[in-house]
Amino acid sequence: MSGFDKVVTSYEQAMQGLEDDMTVIAGGFGLCGIPEGLIAQIKKQGVKGLTIVSNNCGVDGFGLGILLEDKQIKKMVSSYVGENALFEKQLLNGELEVELTPQGTLAEKMRAGGAGIPAFYTATGYGTPVGEGKEVKEFNGRPYILEESITGDFAIIKAWKADRYGNCVYRHTAQNFNPMAATAGKITVVEVEEIVEPGELAPTQIHTPGIYVDRVIKGTFEKRIERKVLAKEDR
Amino acid sequence: MSGFDKVVTSYEQAMQGLEDDMTVIAGGFGLCGIPEGLIAQIKKQGVKGLTIVSNNCGVDGFGLGILLEDKQIKKMVSSYVGENALFEKQLLNGELEVELTPQGTLAEKMRAGGAGIPAFYTATGYGTPVGEGKEVKEFNGRPYILEESITGDFAIIKAWKADRYGNCVYRHTAQNFNPMAATAGKITVVEVEEIVEPGELAPTQIHTPGIYVDRVIKGTFEKRIERKVLAKEDR
Amino acid sequence: MALSRDQIAMRVAREFQDGNYVNLGIGIPTLAANYVPEGIEVMLQSENGLLGMGRYPSEAEVDADMINAGKETVTAITGASIFNSAESFAMIRGGHVDFTVLGAFEVDVNGNIASWMIPGKLVKGMGGAMDLVAGAKNIIVTMTHADKHGNSKLLPACTLPLTGVNCITQIITDLAVLEVADGAFHLKERAPGVSVEEIKEKTAGKLVVEGDIPEMKL
Amino acid sequence: MALSRDQIAMRVAREFQDGNYVNLGIGIPTLAANYVPEGIEVMLQSENGLLGMGRYPSEAEVDADMINAGKETVTAITGASIFNSAESFAMIRGGHVDFTVLGAFEVDVNGNIASWMIPGKLVKGMGGAMDLVAGAKNIIVTMTHADKHGNSKLLPACTLPLTGVNCITQIITDLAVLEVADGAFHLKERAPGVSVEEIKEKTAGKLVVEGDIPEMKL
């Protein structure tokens, strides 16, 4: 009766099956809500030629940025990048390809990928470089562009708590892209702060139902803050 | 500073602005999670020619079924209907029009309507009567049909609790279509069992953020059960 | 002898593997939940928004806010999750549900299925059936092999309006287990005591019979 | 005299009505939150998934899991809601956010905006800006009227790659408040002490000046 127990105990198990040239969808916004240990494991495994789909690419030395160090990333699909010098360098060298995608379109592409919607129309990006070469159709007199969904070989997710069945909840704004990314991976791996027993999470309050999750691992997190800004009286 | 206080105290206020020939999107699945008092108010107002978008049309004498009594409904957009004799009669008489829509497509059309997605592709219904006349496009060798989103002049919603800002939570499976319907109304009215103060609902546990909600009213509910089935030992 | 409804359900349940997420349609499919083999756990998805559907409630547990896709009162298992209809069909359409079991009026050799509409009769709607047949990874159709007049329901081409195209790969009837591939039904098992001849006779679509056809284990 | 950054923000804040949901971009737009008029409440949406963004945290309140769209540590107000990025942009794209305030490099007489990409410079990305300009009901662009070399940013046609087309209706600069309609900028208000002549001179796109142009109230 272990079919629903998604817990694994080593990072090797967590990322087993990851190979060169695969597509990995990663949750997180900036350095908030990122699966730190899973990213470290990808670096350790040394796989190359990865396409990474994630809103950002971390910073120098932290987050997805560490995968640049050994040139493991072939292509980034993101809405905002370049918070790191190494990224900039590899991009200008032509060692790294970037597909810039509007943030909302990126979130919707992941959701659509997980939901069996191969494509959808959006006004976002029409008439801009993002719309170039894409199908245009008018609805109620307004032009929209057709955007295709995204799925990945792996999805790597950071949640707050998960139960053994893979049901997840996220903490504060560390939710961000994680729930959509979790639906869009052929293999979805969740790194959590705490593993709880089934029943501890209220059924209506689960953000990611376990059906989307293949593996759960308990991690430890540095949770580096990108921009610490304090209230005036505390500065 | 009353701009975010969505609470109204009468059903007249709750449904103010509803007129003949409008489109109303209603949450609920069968008789579960339906805004009983808002439906009663529509009957009382006596508006005619309504298009109602809802997964079902209630039963004789309860739920949306009561709007058939005075022939207020011109058209139903639903996935499953005909649990009531009056519905069947009006349909066969040609007094009522029905647009049958697959359940998942219906849910997605409401979500898309609220999310500014005018249309999306789905495999559901391809090659069936549902797909007739719709645009077909292949993705990865599989044909999909283009489905357009749905929005309404009003959305009527049943939630468990809402705060004054309109943040809502749903109880058990009474959630169903309510969250999507809530996003797709020009005016969204929520009938709840309990009104709580802002802050009583945990921010990450809110199912429908108040931005989608225009009016909140406290109702009382009969909560009729359509099919009471008991465990064998209790029959 | 032809299988009973419960026996068909028993045979269906033998397809389940430990850890499968399963959506069971109304009727025979629902019965399959009663026959999940020892040592195997499946989690039931109900398309109104419940993953981890449990047994029917006791009188004290009855709650109008807790129903299944058949609008019956129901309970949730420990570890269940509850969500909205868009999320529920995202699971289904997105291929996250491992098995869907549902009934049908007709199935044909191309894997087409008709299950929701009989012209001339009142059409109540397709509910979630079209989404389920378009989305699940594996679909099992359960039905009687022939209607009460003896007319085959396994056809060269469906005659009724379709629920889905090219989507059915497995059929479990009161007489046989069949796979659908390459424009034919492939006979895999027969009900205890039912002859290959009888199955041939009641299968209107092209039937492939290769080698010895074993009797079903229930 | 040309307005300071804070004065532009003050003028922006006068556009807000009680009960508005507002998304403020980085820079001058963010400052507008400090100048919301007495008796008016707005709720701030941050596109990383927070409705009801509050002030910056005290040292004790700092939490790596609580940030805004600018990746700054932040707090939530009582009655806030937190959700995923798809839901956040459903709000934006679906037109549920009343106001978006954002900066720009250029705006033109057709309401086109360029704000994210300068060819030859490293392109960091559009983030959520394209979704915001495509989705919000009302968009206010805040920027200096001209660049530091004196070149107008209000053009007959944008020269840089666009962020959105036909979407800008209101511009608040250090010199003026303008509306965009019918292929022209319409001057509505001027900064205290700034002449219509100066505004004409620094507006490269067609400018319509009708009647007396009042000074802004801050």
Side-chain angles (χ1 to χ4, degrees):
Chain A
M1 318 257 263
S2 57
F4 294 103
D5 190 345
K6 315 282 176 82
V7 176
V8 298
T9 51
S10 75
Y11 283 103
E12 287 74 17
Q13 284 174 284
M15 293 308 293
Q16 194 169 26
L18 181 67
E19 292 172 14
D20 287 356
D21 302 316
M22 277 188 168
T23 295
V24 178
I25 305 181
F29 183 90
L31 303 182
C32 181
I34 59 173
E36 300 179 16
L38 299 178
I39 296 168
Q41 175 62 24
I42 294 175
K43 178 167 168 69
K44 195 174 153 196
Q45 278 179 230
V47 288
K48 307 263 184 186
L50 297 175
T51 295
I52 307 267
V53 182
S54 178
N55 192 56
N56 316 92
C57 192
V59 296
D60 285 318
F62 198 70
L64 291 168
I66 66 172
L67 302 184
L68 297 165
E69 294 165 4
D70 302 319
K71 302 184 182 171
Q72 293 177 268
I73 306 177
K74 184 181 67 185
K75 180 179 174 181
M76 280 299 301
V77 180
S78 303
S79 86
Y80 196 83
V81 293
E83 304 277 29
N84 28 15
L86 197 52
F87 189 98
E88 205 171 318
K89 193 182 146 211
Q90 292 183 15
L91 186 63
L92 295 172
N93 282 351
E95 294 172 308
L96 180 61
E97 187 189 340
V98 176
E99 183 177 323
L100 290 171
T101 305
Q103 199 177 135
T105 297
L106 184 62
E108 193 67 15
K109 278 169 169 264
M110 291 183 194
R111 180 193 177 273
I117 306 282
F120 58 90
Y121 281 99
T122 177
T124 303
Y126 170 77
T128 78
V130 166
E132 278 168 25
K134 287 176 185 160
E135 234 172 87
V136 174
K137 193 173 163 75
E138 282 199 12
F139 297 90
N140 297 315
R142 187 177 184 191
Y144 293 80
I145 59 173
L146 188 65
E147 290 279 8
E148 295 196 13
S149 66
I150 293 178
T151 55
D153 299 295
F154 271 78
I156 57 172
I157 305 303
K158 155 69 169 67
W160 181 25
K161 298 177 184 180
D163 68 22
R164 295 190 162 269
Y165 295 170
N167 293 310
C168 299
V169 294
Y170 304 94
R171 190 167 172 276
H172 299 335
T173 61
Q175 187 171 164
N176 56 61
F177 282 82
N178 282 296
M180 286 76 66
T183 69
K186 278 199 204 93
I187 296 176
T188 292
V189 190
V190 182
E191 189 181 16
V192 299
E193 297 182 45
E194 194 183 339
I195 292 172
V196 301
E197 287 307 309
E200 286 189 46
L201 307 174
T204 56
Q205 303 295 18
I206 288 164
H207 295 122
T208 293
I211 195 169
Y212 295 115
V213 174
D214 297 285
R215 303 169 193 167
V216 174
I217 187 164
K218 188 181 174 319
T220 52
F221 297 87
E222 176 185 336
K223 288 197 187 182
R224 195 182 291 184
I225 292 175
E226 203 161 344
R227 293 194 190 134
K228 182 171 161 182
V229 183
L230 296 176
K232 268 194 184 138
E233 55 276 20
D234 277 53
R235 278 173 208 166
Chain B
M1 318 255 262
S2 57
F4 294 103
D5 190 345
K6 314 283 176 81
V7 176
V8 297
T9 52
S10 76
Y11 282 102
E12 287 74 19
Q13 285 173 283
M15 293 308 293
Q16 195 169 24
L18 181 67
E19 292 171 12
D20 287 355
D21 303 316
M22 279 188 165
T23 295
V24 178
I25 305 182
F29 183 89
L31 304 182
C32 181
I34 59 172
E36 299 179 17
L38 299 177
I39 295 168
Q41 174 62 25
I42 294 175
K43 179 169 168 67
K44 196 175 151 196
Q45 278 178 232
V47 289
K48 307 263 182 186
L50 297 174
T51 296
I52 306 269
V53 183
S54 178
N55 192 56
N56 317 92
C57 191
V59 296
D60 285 315
F62 198 71
L64 291 167
I66 66 172
L67 302 183
L68 297 165
E69 295 165 4
D70 302 319
K71 300 182 182 170
Q72 294 178 265
I73 306 177
K74 184 181 70 185
K75 181 178 175 182
M76 281 298 303
V77 180
S78 304
S79 87
Y80 197 81
V81 291
E83 304 278 30
N84 29 15
L86 197 52
F87 189 98
E88 203 170 318
K89 195 183 144 212
Q90 292 184 13
L91 186 63
L92 294 172
N93 282 351
E95 296 171 307
L96 180 63
E97 188 188 338
V98 176
E99 184 177 324
L100 290 171
T101 305
Q103 198 175 136
T105 298
L106 184 62
E108 192 68 15
K109 277 169 169 263
M110 291 184 194
R111 181 192 176 273
I117 305 283
F120 58 89
Y121 281 98
T122 176
T124 302
Y126 170 77
T128 79
V130 166
E132 278 167 26
K134 288 175 185 161
E135 234 173 85
V136 174
K137 193 172 162 75
E138 282 199 12
F139 297 90
N140 295 316
R142 188 177 183 192
Y144 293 80
I145 59 174
L146 187 65
E147 291 279 7
E148 295 195 13
S149 66
I150 292 178
T151 55
D153 299 294
F154 271 78
I156 57 172
I157 304 302
K158 156 69 169 67
W160 181 26
K161 299 177 184 178
D163 67 22
R164 295 189 162 270
Y165 295 171
N167 293 310
C168 301
V169 294
Y170 305 93
R171 189 166 172 274
H172 299 335
T173 61
Q175 185 170 165
N176 57 62
F177 282 83
N178 281 295
M180 286 75 67
T183 68
K186 278 198 203 91
I187 297 177
T188 292
V189 190
V190 183
E191 189 181 14
V192 299
E193 297 181 45
E194 194 184 339
I195 293 172
V196 301
E197 288 306 310
E200 287 190 45
L201 306 174
T204 55
Q205 303 295 15
I206 287 164
H207 296 122
T208 293
I211 194 169
Y212 295 116
V213 174
D214 297 284
R215 303 169 193 166
V216 173
I217 187 163
K218 185 180 176 321
T220 53
F221 296 86
E222 176 186 336
K223 289 198 188 178
R224 195 182 290 183
I225 291 174
E226 204 162 341
R227 295 196 186 131
K228 182 171 159 182
V229 183
L230 295 176
K232 269 198 183 132
E233 55 277 22
D234 276 53
R235 280 175 206 165
Chain C
M1 238 186 57
L3 301 183
S4 68
R5 286 162 55 89
D6 276 279
Q7 285 173 316
I8 297 176
M10 269 181 225
R11 179 61 191 81
V12 167
R14 283 194 42 235
E15 294 295 315
F16 300 154
Q17 294 184 305
D18 195 29
N20 278 169
Y21 296 97
V22 177
N23 184 295
L24 302 177
I26 293 168
I28 295 173
T30 295
L31 294 175
N34 300 331
Y35 300 107
V36 176
E38 194 85 10
I40 298 278
E41 266 188 347
V42 300
M43 205 176 285
L44 301 180
Q45 205 258 16
S46 189
E47 64 265 28
N48 61 317
L50 171 58
L51 181 67
M53 181 166 66
R55 55 170 174 70
Y56 291 117
S58 69
E59 188 69 61
E61 288 169 331
V62 167
D63 188 326
D65 290 339
M66 186 60 120
I67 66 168
N68 65 19
K71 294 163 194 163
E72 302 168 326
T73 49
V74 79
T75 61
I77 66 165
T78 299
S81 54
I82 295 175
F83 33 80
N84 66 49
S85 301
E87 179 69 49
S88 186
F89 282 94
M91 282 175 197
I92 291 167
R93 205 191 301 104
H96 304 280
V97 172
D98 297 302
F99 268 108
T100 281
V101 187
L102 78 172
F105 301 144
E106 299 174 346
V107 177
D108 73 24
V109 294
N110 292 314
N112 300 328
I113 174 173
S115 65
W116 71 287
M117 184 179 176
I118 297 180
K121 283 202 183 181
L122 184 81
V123 180
K124 293 198 167 188
M126 68 295 282
M130 286 190 185
D131 306 281
L132 281 159
V133 298
K137 291 182 210 156
N138 286 296
I139 302 168
I140 302 176
V141 168
T142 64
M143 58 181 189
T144 55
H145 213 94
D147 68 17
K148 48 190 158 186
H149 307 294
N151 299 316
S152 178
K153 296 179 174 180
L154 289 85
L155 305 177
C158 288
T159 64
L160 296 170
L162 298 181
T163 309
V165 297
N166 274 321
C167 53
I168 307 303
T169 53
Q170 195 170 20
I171 306 165
I172 300 181
T173 74
D174 53 340
L175 302 184
V177 175
L178 308 102
E179 281 176 18
V180 188
D182 307 322
F185 300 112
H186 297 254
L187 184 60
K188 293 293 167 183
E189 300 174 22
R190 56 199 169 82
V194 170
S195 67
V196 170
E197 277 316 302
E198 181 180 349
I199 294 164
K200 275 187 182 164
E201 192 182 304
K202 291 187 175 164
T203 305
K206 183 179 174 188
L207 182 72
V208 175
V209 182
E210 281 180 344
D212 271 352
I213 306 299
E215 287 193 353
M216 288 179 210
K217 289 184 188 112
L218 297 176
Chain D
M1 235 186 64
L3 301 184
S4 68
R5 287 163 54 89
D6 274 279
Q7 285 173 315
I8 297 175
M10 267 182 228
R11 179 60 191 83
V12 167
R14 284 195 40 239
E15 294 296 315
F16 300 154
Q17 292 183 307
D18 195 29
N20 279 168
Y21 296 97
V22 177
N23 184 296
L24 301 176
I26 293 168
I28 294 174
T30 294
L31 295 176
N34 299 332
Y35 300 107
V36 176
E38 193 87 9
I40 297 278
E41 267 188 347
V42 300
M43 205 177 283
L44 302 180
Q45 206 258 14
S46 189
E47 66 265 27
N48 60 318
L50 171 56
L51 180 68
M53 182 166 64
R55 54 172 175 70
Y56 291 116
S58 68
E59 188 70 61
E61 287 169 333
V62 167
D63 189 325
D65 290 339
M66 187 60 121
I67 66 167
N68 65 19
K71 294 165 195 162
E72 301 168 327
T73 48
V74 80
T75 62
I77 65 165
T78 299
S81 54
I82 295 174
F83 32 80
N84 66 50
S85 302
E87 179 69 48
S88 186
F89 283 94
M91 281 176 198
I92 291 167
R93 205 191 301 105
H96 305 280
V97 172
D98 297 302
F99 270 108
T100 282
V101 187
L102 78 172
F105 302 143
E106 299 174 345
V107 177
D108 72 24
V109 294
N110 292 313
N112 299 328
I113 173 173
S115 65
W116 70 287
M117 184 179 175
I118 297 179
K121 282 202 183 182
L122 185 80
V123 180
K124 293 198 168 188
M126 69 294 283
M130 285 191 184
D131 306 280
L132 281 159
V133 298
K137 291 182 210 158
N138 286 296
I139 303 167
I140 303 177
V141 167
T142 63
M143 57 181 190
T144 55
H145 213 95
D147 68 17
K148 48 189 157 185
H149 308 296
N151 299 315
S152 178
K153 296 179 174 180
L154 288 83
L155 305 177
C158 289
T159 63
L160 297 170
L162 297 181
T163 309
V165 296
N166 274 321
C167 54
I168 306 304
T169 53
Q170 195 170 17
I171 306 165
I172 300 181
T173 75
D174 54 340
L175 303 183
V177 176
L178 309 102
E179 281 175 20
V180 188
D182 307 322
F185 299 112
H186 297 254
L187 184 59
K188 294 293 167 183
E189 300 174 23
R190 55 200 170 82
V194 170
S195 68
V196 171
E197 277 316 303
E198 181 180 349
I199 294 165
K200 276 188 181 165
E201 191 183 302
K202 291 188 174 163
T203 304
K206 182 180 174 189
L207 182 72
V208 174
V209 183
E210 282 179 344
D212 271 355
I213 305 299
E215 285 193 352
M216 287 180 211
K217 289 187 188 106
L218 296 174

